[in-house]
Amino acid sequence: MLTQTPKGTKDILPSESYKWQFIEKKIHQVCRIFGYKEIRTPVFEHTELFQRGVGDTTDIVQKEMYTFLDKGDRSITLRPEGTAGVVRSYIEHGMSSLPQPIKLYYNISAYRYEKMQKGRYREFHQFGVEAFGAKGPDIDVEIISVLGFLFKSLGIKNVGLNINSIGCPVCRKAYNEKITEFLRPHLDKMCPTCNERFGKNPLRIIDCKEEKCKKITVDAPSMLDNICEECGTHFEGLKAGLDNIGIAYNIDKNIVRGLDYYSKTVFEFVSENVGAQGTICGGGRYDGLVESCGGPSTPGIGFGLGMERLLMEIESQGILIPDEDSVEIYISSIGEAAGKYASKLVNSLRENGISAGKDLMDRSVKAQMKYADKLGAKYTVVLGDDEINNNKVVLKNMKNGEKDEISLDSLCQEIINRR
Ligand code: ATP
Ligand code: MG
């Protein structure tokens, strides 16, 4: 126990962390281009926030939250997703009085007590975007485009975009009656969760993962076929906006999304490579959420992208992420005087932004070179008294074995020139 991570969690080791850094850098770049600003909210919030903000009839709230009483007897929950905390922050800091839309993004860890499977963990990571204050479909198109840019900048191909509309409280009411009538005769064949949701939020039954329930809901009336005129216009606007900038999509009437608060637009990016957990990213519009959390009536839209699933996708597409962190030059040294000189040289290389290393273990030159090779150093030099006295070193390219004699003084410039 002591030397194992808790079930559903894992360490991100140096052999992986450079990939995370690479993707995070791309995320920051793409968000900057689109004018989204980073927000950082606490890892834990009051439990009520998620009950309200994620929704009482969701799997997350019903089955998956890490909830505990703190020493002050407050009910606290580790965030299972990012939207609720950002909505709380939007309200708490009066962001509705700033120029709208407010466009935010985050890279967070999230926590759900789930059955461990490939691509499904108890601690996982999400890149998310939330935009508040704009109610037309243009912003829906924009946030979908953020994902398009991100995938492109990572070289990811063939992730499919599925879109749907799940209407608004007005059309949902009429639809709920329809689907209730449809489902009522089948209830005894459906799972307990569906039975419970039947009275509270029948649309969510479409999202049930149990085979016996899916068999029944395939023939259920779809929300999309029953949306009101306003929602229909919004959906047409979304499709036209995506067409306008050349983003391909499929319409999938079965997407209802896992969270209770969605309205109108819902969407997912799905991969065929990642298997059962193929949804890399899910998002949608949540026009009632800010108000239901105690803020002013404010439209909003966002998405959450699973970083672990994104990485799986990158790997399965054979995309190589460069390890930009490997040591550029390793200075091996022979003897005490050269060792001291090497310390100064490494220091000055580092001051010039070059990743440089030297012996820290009193190793032989042979062992130093072996270590440099293991580090993946791009270049090495061996420094002895002669090299220092004659101001000459042999710069070895570790990749192709080429050697060049250069003056010691020019080493720094030489490394920069060769980049
Ligand atoms: P799923 O249907 O796979 O359970 P969800 O609807 O619960 O997904 P969201 O709440 O929309 O997922 O979260 C957005 C994204 O976060 C998902 O598309 C997925 O990539 C990722 N994600 C969700 N839960 C997990 C998890 N337990 N482990 C890893 N990634 C996850
Ligand atoms: Mg889930």
Side-chain angles (χ1 to χ4, degrees), residues 212-396:
K212 61 180 179 193
C213 304
K214 276 194 196 164
K215 247 188 221 154
I216 292 162
T217 54
V218 276
D219 300 319
S222 80
M223 186 68 236
L224 187 62
D225 293 330
N226 290 279
I227 54 178
C228 64
E229 198 184 331
E230 191 199 318
C231 291
T233 308
H234 189 98
F235 195 59
E236 289 308 313
L238 168 65
K239 289 190 289 180
L242 293 172
D243 290 338
N244 185 39
I245 57 170
I247 298 177
Y249 56 85
N250 305 302
I251 295 168
D252 180 350
K253 292 180 184 176
N254 286 323
I255 307 178
V256 300
R257 306 278 320 121
L259 315 186
D260 270 355
Y261 50 65
Y262 284 102
S263 54
K264 292 189 173 130
T265 306
V266 286
F267 65 89
E268 290 180 346
F269 278 89
V270 184
S271 153
E272 278 144 34
N273 296 314
V274 200
Q277 268 65 57
T279 310
I280 297 177
C281 172
R285 179 164 276 283
Y286 46 76
D287 291 344
L289 181 60
V290 175
E291 193 173 10
S292 82
C293 290
S297 168
T298 311
I301 181 162
F303 65 72
L305 172 143
M307 290 285 281
E308 285 81 1
R309 292 190 199 172
L310 181 70
L311 264 161
M312 283 165 61
E313 182 63 22
I314 286 174
E315 247 133 64
S316 73
Q317 293 201 13
I319 297 164
L320 280 183
I321 292 180
D323 183 359
E324 289 166 341
D325 298 337
S326 66
V327 172
E328 285 181 274
I329 180 159
Y330 187 89
I331 313 289
S332 300
S333 58
I334 311 168
E336 208 185 311
K340 270 199 179 136
Y341 192 96
S343 295
K344 278 206 279 202
L345 181 57
V346 161
N347 205 44
S348 110
L349 288 162
R350 287 172 178 165
E351 278 175 349
N352 283 284
I354 293 167
S355 167
K358 67 175 278 291
D359 178 49
L360 299 167
M361 306 279 290
D362 280 329
R363 285 184 169 119
S364 69
V365 176
K366 201 176 152 202
Q368 288 181 48
M369 292 303 278
K370 213 166 141 188
Y371 177 66
D373 194 36
K374 287 233 169 83
L375 282 182
K378 294 189 181 92
Y379 296 97
T380 54
V381 297
V382 179
L383 212 57
D385 296 341
D386 284 354
E387 280 79 8
I388 296 165
N389 292 335
N390 302 331
N391 187 30
K392 287 253 180 308
V393 280
V394 175
L395 181 64
K396 182 177 176 191

Side-chain angles (χ1 to χ4, degrees), residues 60 64 81 112 114 119-122 124 126 209 257-259 262 277 279-282 304-306 308-309:
I60 294 178
E64 298 170 359
E81 52 91 59
R112 296 184 192 177
E114 298 208 65
R120 194 176 288 287
Y121 309 96
R122 292 183 177 172
F124 64 101
Q126 281 190 342
K209 306 278 188 297
R257 306 278 320 121
L259 315 186
Y262 284 102
Q277 268 65 57
T279 310
I280 297 177
C281 172
L305 172 143
E308 285 81 1
R309 292 190 199 172

